Amino acid sequence: MRRFLAGLLILPALLPLTAAAPQTAAAADPVKIMPMGSSTTAGSIPGGYRTDLYWMLTSSGQPVDFVGSITDSTPANLPDRNHEGHGGWVIDQLTQVATERMQTYQPDTVLLHAGANDVLQNLNLATAPARLENLIRTLYAVRPDLAVYVSTVGPMADAAANARAASFNNQLPFVVAKLAAEGKKVRFVDSRTALAATDVMSDGIHLTHSGNSKLAAQWYAALQGSPIVRFEAETAVFAGKAHSAATPLASNNGKAGWIDDATSSATVTVNAPYAGNFRVLVRGGNGSGALSSHTLTVNGGTARVIEYPAYGWEAWTQQALDVSLKAGANTFKFSFRTGFAELDSIDLVTA
């Protein structure tokens, strides 16, 4: 059922994320998702936000098929590398190819991150929201039942460009509300608020590894229809050989590792807003060359096994599981089981 809040059409989650274990195609057909935009979609690092998003969705039980005219050759930890991200493109360039791309790839969902280059070029910004609306209408002209998620553009180091970005972002909810009032499946995603200045590369424009990971979390939260809160593993209480380390290839530039023997563990405090069932997504990396695993106990309860595929150190994947938490502080203790694996973060969403 649709609900209206302050004039905005609020839709339920448009993807059926109901399980915390992978399903086969026989159990659920893949949702065809087109990541669409400019360099943020293409990826300022190989895979960009798409790597984390792929693992978040598939480990949560939703088979997905990323579609688009571009197929990347890397990274290894992103099995599905198709997308419609074009570095440097402005809104009108995306509009020019939108009809053909919709006809060719027939997506169910579009993740639209467009407008950053219009902002950077100061390209007729007074009409940029109208051009974005035109792009979205072009998508719907081919795929009337399409679900479109419209993201804000990210922070920019240049003060003038950042001010223009803020002005553009402030108008996006009105564009989305107008289309939603017509019954279109469209949702506004305010990803900008999740990103810090430190999530931007030295070029002042593109996202770091941390920024891409946080952007993926915002897409997932929108698709799930739930807020998401991240807890960083480097804040853990460590035992044995385990400890934290700084790295530019992790969320918030830090990770937890060296959980290498039976005496080693990392205990992360996860705060829940109420007592109930939640989904957690554990972001881990494994460069040992073979499948590795931790045991996880929540509040001292029954141990559960989390396995990490071996794509390389800091080639992160997300593993989902559903847990029952108490209100307030909960202890997540990761202990050595087999092989070697590192931790980056834990994301908390509604199960």
Side-chain angles (χ1 to χ4, degrees):
M1 178 180 295
R2 292 174 179 162
R3 297 181 290 112
F4 286 86
L5 179 63
L8 293 179
L9 177 63
I10 308 300
L11 297 171
L14 300 181
L15 296 180
L17 302 174
T18 57
Q23 300 177 9
T24 64
D29 291 331
V31 174
K32 294 174 69 174
I33 298 177
M34 178 178 283
M36 189 176 202
S38 53
S39 56
T40 298
T41 301
S44 49
I45 60 173
Y49 71 75
R50 294 175 284 113
T51 303
D52 267 23
L53 182 60
Y54 174 88
W55 284 100
M56 287 177 153
L57 292 170
T58 56
S59 70
S60 295
Q62 175 61 65
V64 296
D65 179 15
F66 287 162
V67 298
S69 65
I70 301 171
T71 302
D72 295 337
S73 59
T74 58
N77 57 326
L78 176 56
D80 187 344
R81 302 169 191 155
N82 304 319
H83 63 92
E84 199 60 43
H86 301 268
W89 278 28
V90 297
I91 294 169
D92 284 350
Q93 288 174 293
L94 292 169
T95 305
Q96 290 167 11
V97 302
T99 297
E100 187 273 331
R101 300 300 192 263
M102 290 296 101
Q103 292 171 339
T104 301
Y105 300 103
Q106 299 285 301
D108 304 303
T109 298
V110 169
L111 306 181
L112 185 59
H113 195 285
N117 289 304
D118 298 72
V119 168
L120 286 168
Q121 298 174 29
N122 200 9
L123 183 64
N124 300 322
L125 288 186
T127 62
R131 295 199 302 276
L132 188 70
E133 178 186 338
N134 183 50
L135 167 57
I136 298 169
R137 290 190 183 279
T138 303
L139 302 176
Y140 279 120
V142 181
R143 301 283 288 167
D145 204 37
L146 185 70
V148 180
Y149 292 78
V150 182
S151 174
T152 50
V153 300
M156 300 176 182
D158 177 77
N162 199 49
R164 294 196 300 270
S167 177
F168 174 75
N169 287 338
N170 288 340
Q171 297 177 70
L172 296 187
F174 297 98
V175 173
V176 170
K178 179 181 179 182
L179 293 164
E182 298 172 8
K184 293 179 172 57
K185 297 177 182 177
V186 60
R187 174 172 287 171
F188 172 66
V189 181
D190 189 6
S191 60
R192 168 65 182 86
T193 56
L195 300 171
T198 53
D199 294 320
V200 180
M201 288 183 171
S202 58
D203 64 8
I205 301 169
H206 297 104
L207 295 179
T208 64
H209 190 107
S210 177
N212 278 288
S213 178
K214 292 178 182 179
L215 178 55
Q218 296 309 303
W219 285 127
Y220 177 80
L223 292 166
Q224 173 77 4
S226 168
I228 192 165
V229 180
R230 173 160 293 186
F231 300 88
E232 299 290 348
E234 63 269 21
T235 65
V237 175
F238 296 101
K241 297 165 62 178
H243 61 271
S244 64
T247 171
L249 299 179
S251 176
N252 266 21
N253 303 315
K255 64 180 180 179
W258 296 271
I259 307 173
D260 291 353
D261 60 27
T263 69
S264 300
S265 65
T267 301
V268 180
T269 298
V270 173
N271 294 304
Y274 53 83
N277 296 322
F278 294 86
R279 175 161 298 149
V280 294
L281 298 117
V282 178
R283 193 171 196 247
N286 170 15
S288 70
L291 190 69
S292 295
S293 63
H294 290 146
T295 57
L296 169 63
T297 58
V298 178
N299 297 327
T302 303
R304 303 169 71 169
V305 175
I306 301 181
E307 296 184 328
Y308 309 93
Y311 286 108
W313 298 122
E314 297 173 333
W316 309 102
T317 61
Q318 299 265 9
Q319 309 303 323
L321 66 156
D322 289 343
V323 296
S324 180
L325 301 180
K326 62 184 180 180
N330 296 263
T331 58
F332 282 56
K333 184 177 181 181
F334 296 86
S335 303
F336 173 81
R337 182 175 178 268
T338 61
F340 307 99
E342 297 177 333
L343 297 170
D344 183 29
S345 61
I346 300 170
D347 290 323
L348 182 70
V349 293
T350 303

